Amino acid sequence: MSSSEHDVLVLGGAGVDTIVHVPQLPLPYADSYHIDPGIETRAGQTGDFVALGLTALGLRTHHVDTVGDDMPGELVRAFHREHGIGLTEIPVAAGTKRAVNLVGPDGRRLSLYDGTRADADGRVPETTVRALAAKSRHVHVSITQPWAAALPLLRESGATVSTDLHDWNGDDAYHETFALDADIVFLSAAALRDPEAAMQRIAERGRARAVVATAGAQGARLLAGGVLSHVPAVVPPGPVVDSNGAGDAYAAAYLFGMLTGEPPAVCAGFGAVAGAYACTVPATRAQCIGRDELLREAARARASHAAG
């Protein structure tokens, strides 16, 4: 490990989700539904879960984001204390980010984000970001506000940068800002008409040395060193109950591989294992795969694929 204070600095993506299990997605209109196993509000949005996944894999992780002086903010603070993740809070009058996640019986998710919780002024604490990035080997930037404004600052630190575009449609300019200024770019193929073309465009126009487009049970596409390859999906170690957090787990495990010196194909294999594991964990629980299990299952997956 480097002598830097942090292995990974995570910017943005702190918030609270209310989990609602629904009988099917899309949800047909009805006057009311009785929800089982119930409705639960807990801390854990994309930045929280990336930070949790990195910490579970033994990486020294610190998280920075806007957090309100409200009950959701208390849940976010408690989440970080419980899991031993350092948190630097940037006060925000709009309140802590929150969302409602509808989860179907097959584990698929529909997220409804509260647009009133965006930080409208977009200010970034430049001194804080510079100081923390200078002490970090790598910075993972969530696409939540106001962190696009931090991208120019990160280049001064010398740290590598990653981002997750989630369900980018390939055209939205806001997402593209992140895509073109990161060394490692993660995205979902779900909303892309031509995932491979979108990946090539990111690599050609930006600074990415690796682009990963995930597609659930269909595996993932990896573009690294100008070579496009397919990364097989891994069979989950149990029943699939929730896809929430699978992409965050994938990113955390990929970054673990990168920071421990593995080549991109191995890093992507780590991501496939961690993402499959995450699908077996209910959204109401904060649990990520650990280092020993990740290495063991990744070795098993490689042997299985090699055997055909």
Side-chain angles (χ1 to χ4, degrees), residues 56-304:
L57 293 170
L59 295 177
R60 301 163 300 174
T61 306
H62 194 83
H63 193 185
V64 182
D65 200 10
T66 54
V67 181
D69 183 17
D70 50 21
M71 185 54 67
E74 287 301 317
L75 291 175
V76 168
R77 286 183 276 273
F79 175 95
H80 287 75
R81 287 195 301 269
E82 178 183 352
H83 297 289
I85 304 167
L87 175 66
T88 295
E89 303 174 43
I90 310 303
V92 58
T96 305
K97 289 182 286 296
R98 61 186 182 181
V100 174
N101 287 348
L102 306 183
V103 181
D106 59 357
R108 290 186 304 146
R109 175 202 65 191
L110 170 66
S111 295
L112 307 171
Y113 291 97
D114 184 349
T116 69
R117 297 303 176 100
D119 184 11
D121 61 25
R123 290 177 296 175
V124 166
E126 294 189 9
T127 301
T128 299
V129 170
R130 283 194 173 98
L132 288 170
K135 297 187 291 185
S136 305
R137 299 172 62 199
H138 182 82
V139 183
H140 181 78
V141 188
S142 303
I143 59 172
T144 54
Q145 290 283 12
W147 298 109
L151 292 168
L153 307 178
L154 300 179
R155 289 299 156 199
E156 302 172 11
S157 70
T160 49
V161 175
S162 60
T163 193
D164 189 341
L165 308 181
H166 298 280
D167 57 347
W168 183 45
N169 62 10
D171 297 317
D172 187 276
Y174 175 80
H175 292 69
E176 190 171 83
T177 299
F178 292 87
L180 301 184
D181 209 17
D183 301 289
I184 312 294
V185 177
F186 303 100
L187 67 159
S188 166
L192 294 171
R193 294 184 299 274
D194 188 341
E196 294 180 4
M199 296 170 70
Q200 293 283 2
R201 190 166 73 252
I202 289 171
E204 290 168 2
R205 296 183 56 203
R207 56 193 311 141
R209 64 192 194 198
V211 183
V212 184
T214 57
Q218 284 71 52
R221 295 173 176 87
L222 169 66
L223 177 61
V227 177
L228 185 66
S229 59
H230 177 255
V231 182
V234 171
V235 177
V240 173
V241 295
D242 194 345
S243 61
N244 187 62
D248 302 324
Y250 192 110
Y254 186 105
L255 295 177
F256 163 78
M258 184 190 76
L259 291 170
T260 52
E262 299 290 354
V266 173
C267 297
F270 286 168
V273 170
Y277 179 95
C279 290
T280 68
V281 179
T284 52
R285 279 171 39 206
Q287 178 181 326
C288 295
I289 194 169
R291 180 188 293 233
D292 290 345
E293 186 173 1
L294 176 72
L295 295 175
R296 182 175 63 250
E297 293 304 316
R300 183 176 299 169
R302 286 196 297 271
S304 175

Side-chain angles (χ1 to χ4, degrees), residues 33-45:
Y33 284 93
H34 292 279
I35 302 301
D36 185 18
I39 298 172
E40 184 170 338
T41 299
R42 55 100 178 110
Q45 291 193 354

